[in-house]
Amino acid sequence: MLLKDKVAVITGAASVRGLGFATAKLYAEQGARVVIIDLDAEASRAAAASLGEEHLGLAANVSNELQVNAAIEQVLGKYGRIDILVNNAGITQPIKLMEIKRENYDAVLDVSLRGTLLMSQAVIPTMRAQKSGSIVCISSVSAQRGGGIFGGPHYSAAKAGVLGLAKAMARELGPDNVRVNCITPGLIQTDITAGKLSDEMKTSILAGIPLNRLGDAQDIARAALFLGSDLSSYSTGITLDVNGGMLIH
């Protein structure tokens, strides 16, 4: 098993059809003890329990420093270490440029970008002390191509910020043997997209995807397994595209 005896924290992973839960399930299958952190305590506990009794579900708003630090203290109190952090929590809003208000901007940037920073800051001291660790940040193809299907410009900005932050963290944390990498998913079939794609939209989108299919959560989970495990032991600061060829560069 690729993650035997590893402790992995995954944010935004309580939704059973989401990228985070798919990653949590695959990590557990590969031997990790998984901590799911999401807004809803009951949903987090239920999601973790579905993986097995050795896993943990906690509630925290990733944009709230006090809640983040309290959650990580609980993780360390139970397991004594953290080997992998997957910064998956994020929200999107399908609104146009001129419709973006301060509250829209703050909401999206706080979760995706500030949340990535706060969660990373919370686990870094432990990873540094261990002289090992992997931080996986979920960005988006919309950060690379200037917009997606469902996210507004502020979503693209937040996810582009994640790319820059991750690269800077990778450079700073490299001497501590802490790796930081990003995944940029294309259009993935999750609860966010469910019921929102008409047949006409799907046909149009597939015309621009060489692999001729939409992605699913397992596609992202497998990439996160690669980056979280020692299979990627000499990779840091990279952006791993998982988009079926939607963007080739």
Side-chain angles (χ1 to χ4, degrees), residues 46-71:
S50 74
L51 302 176
E53 62 181 17
E54 68 270 33
H55 309 291
L56 180 64
L58 299 173
N61 180 340
V62 296
S63 67
N64 184 304
E65 186 173 2
L66 293 178
Q67 292 184 27
V68 165
N69 290 338

Side-chain angles (χ1 to χ4, degrees), residues 28-132:
E29 291 169 356
Q30 289 294 322
R33 287 166 291 175
V34 175
V35 181
I36 289 174
I37 295 180
D38 214 313
L39 285 172
D40 188 306
E42 186 176 338
S44 294
R45 285 193 292 267
S50 74
L51 302 176
E53 62 181 17
E54 68 270 33
H55 309 291
L56 180 64
L58 299 173
N61 180 340
V62 296
S63 67
N64 184 304
E65 186 173 2
L66 293 178
Q67 292 184 27
V68 165
N69 290 338
I72 295 304
E73 284 180 14
Q74 289 185 67
V75 177
L76 293 174
K78 182 174 177 66
Y79 300 113
R81 64 183 295 114
I82 297 172
D83 300 285
I84 305 164
L85 167 65
V86 181
N87 284 309
N88 170 71
I91 60 173
T92 184
Q93 296 173 338
I95 56 180
K96 301 291 188 182
L97 178 65
M98 298 305 292
E99 298 168 355
I100 300 170
K101 307 300 183 187
R102 175 181 288 273
E103 57 268 26
N104 304 129
Y105 183 88
D106 288 347
V108 170
L109 271 287
D110 269 0
V111 177
S112 289
L113 189 50
R114 189 189 304 276
T116 294
L117 174 64
L118 293 179
M119 286 298 308
S120 299
Q121 287 177 325
V123 305
I124 284 167
T126 296
M127 290 183 172
R128 275 179 159 158
Q130 295 166 181
K131 278 293 183 182
S132 67

Side-chain angles (χ1 to χ4, degrees), residues 43-235:
S44 294
R45 285 193 292 267
S50 74
L51 302 176
E53 62 181 17
E54 68 270 33
H55 309 291
L56 180 64
L58 299 173
N61 180 340
V62 296
S63 67
N64 184 304
E65 186 173 2
L66 293 178
Q67 292 184 27
V68 165
N69 290 338
I72 295 304
E73 284 180 14
Q74 289 185 67
V75 177
L76 293 174
K78 182 174 177 66
Y79 300 113
R81 64 183 295 114
I82 297 172
D83 300 285
I84 305 164
L85 167 65
V86 181
N87 284 309
N88 170 71
I91 60 173
T92 184
Q93 296 173 338
I95 56 180
K96 301 291 188 182
L97 178 65
M98 298 305 292
E99 298 168 355
I100 300 170
K101 307 300 183 187
R102 175 181 288 273
E103 57 268 26
N104 304 129
Y105 183 88
D106 288 347
V108 170
L109 271 287
D110 269 0
V111 177
S112 289
L113 189 50
R114 189 189 304 276
T116 294
L117 174 64
L118 293 179
M119 286 298 308
S120 299
Q121 287 177 325
V123 305
I124 284 167
T126 296
M127 290 183 172
R128 275 179 159 158
Q130 295 166 181
K131 278 293 183 182
S132 67
S134 174
I135 298 175
V136 182
C137 301
I138 307 299
S139 179
S140 171
V141 69
S142 70
Q144 300 164 306
R145 65 192 294 267
I149 307 300
F150 296 110
H154 54 329
Y155 176 77
S156 296
K159 290 301 189 180
V162 169
L163 292 179
L165 176 61
K167 289 179 180 181
M169 291 196 297
R171 193 174 297 279
E172 184 171 341
L173 297 175
D176 299 300
N177 196 36
V178 176
R179 300 182 297 107
V180 188
N181 295 291
C182 281
I183 299 171
T184 44
L187 186 56
I188 310 298
Q189 300 177 92
T190 66
D191 286 336
I192 293 175
T193 60
K196 296 178 182 175
L197 277 179
S198 66
D199 290 341
E200 185 178 346
M201 286 176 66
K202 187 173 180 180
T203 299
S204 175
I205 292 166
L206 289 177
I209 300 176
L211 289 184
N212 197 40
R213 71 172 177 88
L214 301 182
D216 59 42
Q218 275 297 312
D219 293 316
I220 307 306
R222 293 183 188 113
L225 176 61
F226 168 69
L227 292 177
S229 74
D230 288 340
L231 290 176
S232 59
S233 60
Y234 197 52
S235 295

